[in-house]
Amino acid sequence: MEIIHISAECYPVAKVGGLADVVGALPKYQNKAGKKTAVVMPFYSNAFAAKNTYRLDHQNQVTLGNLTYDFEVLQLENDSFEYPLYQIKIPGLLDRENVYGYEDDTERYVAFQKAVLNWILQFENKPKIIHCHDYHTGLIPFMALQAHKYVSLKDIPSVLTIHNAQYQGQFSFDKLNYFPEYDLSYSGLIEWDQMINPLAAAVKSAWAVTTVSPSYLIELRSAANGLEWLLDNEKGKSTGILNGIDTDVWNPATDPMISKNFNKQNSLSGKRNNKMYLCDKFNLDPSKPLFAFIGRLVGEKGAELLPQIFENTLNNPEVNASILVLGSGDPAIEQALNDLKATHEGNYNAYIGYDEQLSHIIYAGADFLVMPSRVEPCGLNQMYSLRYGTIPIVRSIGGLKDTITDISEKDGFGICHENTDVNEASNAIFRASELFKDQPRFKRIRKQIMQIDHSWDSAATNYIELYQTLLNK
Ligand code: ADP
């Protein structure tokens, strides 16, 4: 392999959010562009693992302080994958059902990263590029550069892609003994605010840093959960590359998960069919515009404002909306969104949980998708919406700013608002409902957005060009 992608998530093996979608698709498109890529990720004991078979590729050990763990590198046997996928199984540590959320996540991900390096160390042909995704893999560039054991990897260029800088994986220097031996005078490279900070370590040690949209790169210099100064200081090696979407998976004409397939020509009847399915299932009136939210119910997504935004909308007779929510996260937000059901039966519903298929049907059947995000490194939901003919209503930030133009502008096709604010978001929904009343314009925009090309082809090439500049150094 020339390029090895290292990640905690990869669709469809294990997905929590957009990281999985990106790592599932980018290697595929890089392969199409002529590069040999592979993905390595942890082995989780989840539904995917239960349904698939694996071939043993390598067995070894990894130490964490005084503890030694056996690990196996398993290669997935599944013809539908267009690149080799390896999963690292560390019994007792990594092989649990969920990706994150355990008390010993630090131990799990440090062990994973050391196991990856131990594995690569014995390759006869080393990869040309090590591409790390988010903080779970952020210690790899440092260890490859500084640890005595990995000295033979130090000339391999490493790339860090920041999908989300909110999560940095900090832990105390008490756990410094988890690290392989290195010259301690370099400890400053892993430190931020007196803690070991894997994301900061990667920003300092990786040869190049990318963010998942150009606007996010700029925004991080003033809002990066404490890393602002560092990201500003490292701007010389940083680039913003907008994510693409996997148009094989996200294609309304072939998507096996939706209730009726459609394309630009028959989008009217196709979308109506999917909307009918949703309205039937969730007891909503299909004659009204259907506004949806899909996502993690956390502050980054502005999710705690949703109950009030929806309350305003549902109480406004001029809007006359149906609203459907799919999400999970903060229990208080989940509760508030559930509570709205009783007062607005027939006009509002929520499915609290994670449901991949339902998300596809909502992208296909909704009229509008609401995204009042506070932070949006790229955002994939708005791009899926566009492809499925659902008009996004977004707060202009990060990737949302880079992908959605307001209908008030020339060739505009979305509804944008400046701030994550209840009144601004409620007003944006009102503007959308006015657009819905103008059916010829609404349908024209719907056709227009389905033609916007956000496929991975150009983004995959941007990464390949970046690798080339590193290899030329
Ligand atoms: P983030 O990674 O910050 O959560 P993105 O917009 O990059 O946000 O990606 C979110 C991905 O997760 C999309 O594929 C979206 O459809 C999916 N998703 C989020 N919440 C749910 C849910 N409750 N059920 C199904 N899919 C979900």
Side-chain angles (χ1 to χ4, degrees):
M1 73 193 73
E2 294 170 277
I3 301 152
I4 184 156
H5 289 276
I6 310 169
S7 172
E9 301 179 35
C10 175
Y11 180 82
V13 184
K15 170 168 168 177
V16 177
L19 170 64
D21 290 358
V22 172
V23 177
L26 174 60
K28 188 166 107 180
Y29 287 84
Q30 290 182 330
N31 271 350
K32 279 188 190 159
K35 296 286 161 199
K36 286 197 172 65
T37 61
V39 171
V40 58
M41 66 183 294
F43 179 94
Y44 306 107
S45 295
N46 62 8
F48 182 90
K51 274 191 274 177
N52 281 274
T53 54
Y54 294 86
R55 179 186 72 75
L56 179 65
D57 180 84
H58 179 70
Q59 274 178 309
N60 204 332
Q61 289 188 323
V62 63
T63 57
L64 216 49
N66 300 327
L67 297 173
T68 300
Y69 293 90
D70 292 324
F71 76 85
E72 291 178 346
V73 182
L74 303 173
Q75 183 177 1
L76 178 69
E77 295 180 309
N78 183 328
D79 293 340
S80 66
F81 272 66
E82 292 173 44
Y83 48 85
L85 182 117
Y86 299 90
Q87 289 186 258
I88 301 223
K89 186 171 187 174
I90 310 184
L93 205 56
L94 273 182
D95 62 340
R96 305 194 193 141
E97 192 181 346
N98 295 328
V99 178
Y100 320 110
Y102 299 100
E103 271 185 3
D104 56 351
D105 276 353
T106 295
E107 285 70 17
R108 298 172 76 228
Y109 283 102
V110 175
F112 166 65
Q113 294 174 81
K114 290 174 75 176
V116 169
L117 290 171
N118 289 352
W119 175 52
I120 296 177
L121 201 57
Q122 49 81 50
F123 286 8
E124 213 169 286
N125 295 314
K126 303 276 190 288
K128 291 201 172 85
I129 296 283
I130 294 180
H131 193 146
C132 300
H133 296 268
D134 273 352
Y135 87 81
H136 329 96
T137 60
L139 297 172
I140 285 182
F142 170 81
M143 292 195 284
L145 213 54
Q146 302 296 344
H148 305 321
K149 178 171 180 178
Y150 303 124
V151 65
S152 64
L153 308 179
K154 82 175 183 3
D155 293 327
I156 304 177
S158 58
V159 176
L160 165 73
T161 294
I162 303 179
H163 298 256
N164 193 330
Q166 291 301 108
Y167 306 99
Q168 300 170 7
Q170 299 94 327
F171 57 95
S172 144
F173 267 92
D174 297 347
K175 296 183 177 177
L176 189 63
N177 65 341
Y178 290 175
F179 278 75
E181 226 176 87
Y182 68 92
D183 177 346
L184 289 175
S185 65
Y186 289 103
S187 291
L189 289 174
I190 54 172
E191 190 261 330
W192 196 257
D193 253 349
Q194 294 165 38
M195 299 281 281
I196 295 173
N197 183 317
L199 190 69
V203 173
K204 293 181 195 186
S205 292
W207 291 37
V209 174
T210 71
T211 61
V212 289
S213 72
S215 286
Y216 189 50
L217 178 66
I218 295 165
E219 289 159 10
L220 282 176
R221 292 176 197 151
S222 49
N225 204 8
L227 300 189
E228 300 77 15
W229 180 86
L230 177 63
L231 285 155
D232 188 47
N233 196 48
E234 298 287 3
K235 60 178 174 243
K237 66 176 184 190
S238 308
T239 330
I241 300 178
L242 188 71
N243 281 337
I245 61 172
D246 190 337
T247 45
D248 297 336
V249 176
W250 297 95
N251 182 353
T254 54
D255 188 338
M257 296 195 211
I258 62 179
S259 81
K260 186 173 178 4
N261 291 116
F262 59 93
N263 55 31
K264 287 184 287 281
Q265 280 70 39
N266 60 12
S267 61
L268 202 63
S269 62
K271 282 196 66 81
R272 192 185 306 122
N273 184 293
N274 283 281
K275 184 174 179 178
M276 291 302 288
Y277 173 93
L278 291 171
C279 290
D280 213 37
K281 190 173 161 88
F282 291 98
N283 184 30
L284 298 167
D285 179 350
S287 68
K288 298 179 177 182
L290 178 58
F291 295 85
F293 173 90
I294 299 173
R296 294 181 296 119
L297 301 175
V298 295
E300 275 181 279
K301 304 285 178 195
E304 84 289 1
L305 304 182
L306 289 173
Q308 192 57 53
I309 295 168
F310 294 153
E311 186 78 59
N312 291 355
T313 301
L314 293 161
N315 290 335
N316 184 346
E318 284 187 73
V319 177
N320 198 21
S322 292
I323 296 176
L324 181 58
V325 173
L326 167 62
S328 61
D330 181 335
I333 306 176
E334 292 183 350
Q335 183 66 46
L337 287 167
N338 261 334
D339 289 349
L340 272 185
K341 288 183 196 171
T343 37
H344 296 285
E345 209 189 322
N347 294 319
Y348 169 89
N349 215 331
Y351 178 91
I352 301 299
Y354 189 94
D355 189 326
E356 188 73 24
Q357 178 169 12
L358 180 56
S359 76
H360 284 239
I361 303 174
I362 295 177
Y363 290 120
D367 295 300
F368 299 96
L369 189 87
V370 179
M371 299 182 77
S373 306
R374 273 197 185 83
V375 183
E376 199 59 84
C378 176
L380 296 170
N381 299 16
Q382 81 280 15
M383 298 200 263
Y384 298 148
S385 284
L386 294 172
R387 186 140 166 89
Y388 284 67
T390 296
I391 298 174
I393 303 174
V394 306
R395 188 249 170 141
S396 289
I397 185 94
L400 297 175
K401 192 169 166 182
D402 293 341
T403 51
I404 308 299
T405 311
D406 191 85
I407 49 169
S408 61
E409 291 178 39
K410 186 172 176 292
D411 299 328
F413 49 82
I415 313 271
C416 302
H417 55 99
E418 276 299 305
N419 298 294
T420 297
D421 168 88
V422 169
N423 289 335
E424 287 194 28
S426 307
N427 187 48
I429 294 179
F430 170 76
R431 288 180 62 215
S433 72
E434 292 295 297
L435 172 65
F436 189 79
K437 287 175 195 157
D438 182 353
Q439 279 288 307
R441 186 174 182 213
F442 173 76
K443 285 177 188 156
R444 212 171 42 244
I445 292 178
R446 179 184 264 178
K447 280 219 158 57
Q448 179 189 343
I449 60 179
M450 289 184 72
Q451 296 177 51
I452 297 174
D453 181 8
H454 278 299
S455 65
W456 264 109
D457 297 304
S458 72
T461 312
N462 290 340
Y463 279 109
I464 291 170
E465 283 166 6
L466 172 68
Y467 302 153
Q468 201 49 55
T469 59
L470 300 178
L471 291 167
N472 291 343
K473 274 189 181 167

